[in-house]
Amino acid sequence: MKKEDLKIVFLGTPEFAVESLSRLHEGGYNIVGVITMPDKPAGRGHKLLQSPVKQYAVANGLHLMQPANLKNQEFVDELRSLEADLFIVIAFRMLPEVVWSMPRLGTFNLHASLLPKYRGAAPINWAVINGDKETGVTTFFLKHDIDTGDIIDQKKIEIRDDENVGDIHDKLMVLGAELTMETVAKILDGTLTTTSQDELTKGVEPTPAPKIFKDTCRINWNEDTVKIHNLIRGLSPYPAAWTSLTTVDGKQLQLKVFAGTPADNVNVATGKFKIDGDRLYAGCGGDRGYEIKELQLEGKRRMSTSDFLRGINPQGYIDFV
């Protein structure tokens, strides 16, 4: 079969998925359908926001579907009428069996971790938060339980100590597109082999990657400095780690921390902040402190620490020593 004869339905929503969709489309594959989330209201005006995948599909004249319910019979019938050979899922949502079992060549997913490690909604974040030195992308065939299907292939990258989750996201987006193209090529020419995840876990429970909530993002200054640094890196630029500043009249303001570095010889109590010229240090639970380099106070824009310090009166807060 030629690649233009291979009928593909692509399912995805964010920018991470667009890189693969564009490679497939511009590479000559036959994308007979694109499925993405319904438009969502956003901002103060509640203007409907289109997903990046929808924007690409519309701009390139691809057949678009935005079902609110993936089990809706009209949607299922329309999907079946496309007679696709292969479904590709990247950063979408859990599919019902009536959908993923439909194509004759199966449905594969691109996942942003080295499965079986980091099954779940936020694999890139947790790899950085946990201080891993490498991560990667995996393609695997879908089955009933989420992120448990047989692995097709993987690619790895290093995680450097100075990289945040945004850096790793962008690298994996490109790497994932390369792996998606290689996986489709193997399916097309019949050279594909798979490995059961059970063979790789050997009975050990895989590291989970649950959804990130606000409480997940709160900095515990009693923790070791390196652990705090990894949390900040693993949540930057979004959703961002945060702490609080308390004004002298008792009001608590959220302070997001986007960047910083462990610092030696910082003489400041745990959870307190010390200003030294145009630098800001936080006291931590370990032997070292933490220098905050980029931050955002509630109601203000994101800025460097030096700009932040020029714009506030430290005597207005009880957290500075």
Side-chain angles (χ1 to χ4, degrees):
M1 179 185 292
K2 297 178 181 179
K3 62 183 180 181
E4 54 267 26
D5 297 325
L6 179 68
K7 295 181 179 180
I8 297 173
V9 167
F10 186 93
L11 303 92
T13 297
E15 181 187 2
F16 189 89
V18 174
E19 184 74 19
S20 293
L21 175 58
S22 65
R23 294 273 192 107
L24 289 163
H25 177 59
E26 292 160 23
Y29 283 99
N30 185 10
I31 310 296
V32 296
V34 174
I35 302 172
T36 192
M37 296 285 283
D39 298 351
K40 289 187 175 181
R44 293 181 180 178
H46 298 287
K47 182 179 179 181
L48 288 178
L49 185 67
Q50 298 180 351
S51 75
V53 164
K54 176 177 179 176
Q55 292 174 39
Y56 182 88
V58 170
N60 289 274
L62 300 175
H63 178 65
L64 180 70
M65 292 169 279
Q66 293 181 272
N69 181 357
L70 294 172
K71 294 182 180 180
N72 176 272
Q73 193 58 50
E74 287 186 14
F75 162 70
V76 172
D77 290 344
E78 180 183 3
L79 185 59
R80 187 173 285 114
S81 72
L82 299 177
E83 298 181 337
D85 303 297
L86 177 69
F87 289 179
I88 299 173
V89 184
I90 302 178
F92 194 52
R93 63 204 228 206
M94 190 171 180
L95 300 181
E97 184 174 357
V98 68
V99 172
W100 61 256
S101 64
M102 192 178 295
R104 67 179 184 87
L105 295 177
T107 298
F108 81 79
N109 178 239
L110 173 73
H111 187 73
S113 82
L114 297 173
L115 288 173
K117 197 170 187 181
Y118 296 120
R119 292 173 178 166
I124 310 178
N125 298 92
W126 286 107
V128 181
I129 290 171
N130 289 336
D132 289 8
K133 298 301 181 184
E134 70 172 13
T135 187
V137 285
T138 302
T139 50
F140 68 97
F141 282 114
L142 262 61
K143 68 177 193 180
H144 290 283
D145 296 325
I146 191 166
D147 297 339
T148 61
D150 291 349
I151 289 173
I152 302 168
D153 210 349
Q154 296 183 324
K155 283 182 177 288
K156 298 179 181 181
I157 60 165
E158 175 190 8
I159 302 176
R160 300 197 313 264
D161 292 340
D162 62 345
E163 290 181 310
N164 63 28
V165 72
D167 300 322
I168 302 304
H169 169 279
D170 291 351
K171 287 185 176 182
L172 292 183
M173 181 171 64
V174 175
L175 192 70
E178 294 173 1
L179 184 60
T180 296
M181 295 296 286
E182 291 176 12
T183 298
V184 175
K186 288 180 179 179
I187 291 173
L188 193 62
D189 63 22
T191 61
L192 178 144
T193 58
T194 61
T195 303
S196 167
Q197 290 195 43
D198 292 339
E199 294 180 27
L200 301 176
T201 58
K202 295 181 173 61
V204 177
E205 189 67 24
T207 307
K211 186 177 180 179
I212 302 291
F213 294 98
K214 185 175 181 180
D215 284 349
T216 314
C217 304
R218 184 164 194 167
I219 300 169
N220 179 1
W221 295 109
N222 292 301
E223 297 279 9
D224 176 82
T225 311
V226 172
K227 190 170 183 179
I228 291 171
H229 181 53
N230 290 339
L231 177 73
I232 291 168
R233 292 192 305 126
L235 297 170
S236 180
Y238 182 82
W242 64 276
T243 186
S244 295
L245 285 184
T246 306
T247 64
V248 291
D249 58 3
K251 184 179 181 180
Q252 284 203 335
L253 297 177
Q254 186 179 100
L255 182 74
K256 292 183 177 181
V257 181
F258 294 95
T261 185
D264 295 315
N265 304 316
V266 176
N267 185 22
V268 58
T270 300
K272 295 295 185 179
F273 302 95
K274 177 181 179 180
I275 299 172
D276 185 3
D278 63 353
R279 294 186 168 187
L280 179 64
Y281 297 95
C284 304
D287 296 332
R288 307 164 76 190
Y290 195 78
E291 181 181 357
I292 298 172
K293 295 188 173 183
E294 197 171 352
L295 70 171
Q296 182 179 12
L297 185 62
E298 185 177 331
K300 304 291 184 180
R301 64 177 177 84
R302 176 176 170 175
M303 63 186 75
S304 67
T305 294
S306 57
D307 287 343
F308 169 75
L309 293 176
R310 280 193 291 269
I312 69 161
N313 175 15
Q315 295 180 345
Y317 302 88
I318 67 173
D319 312 277
F320 293 97
V321 296

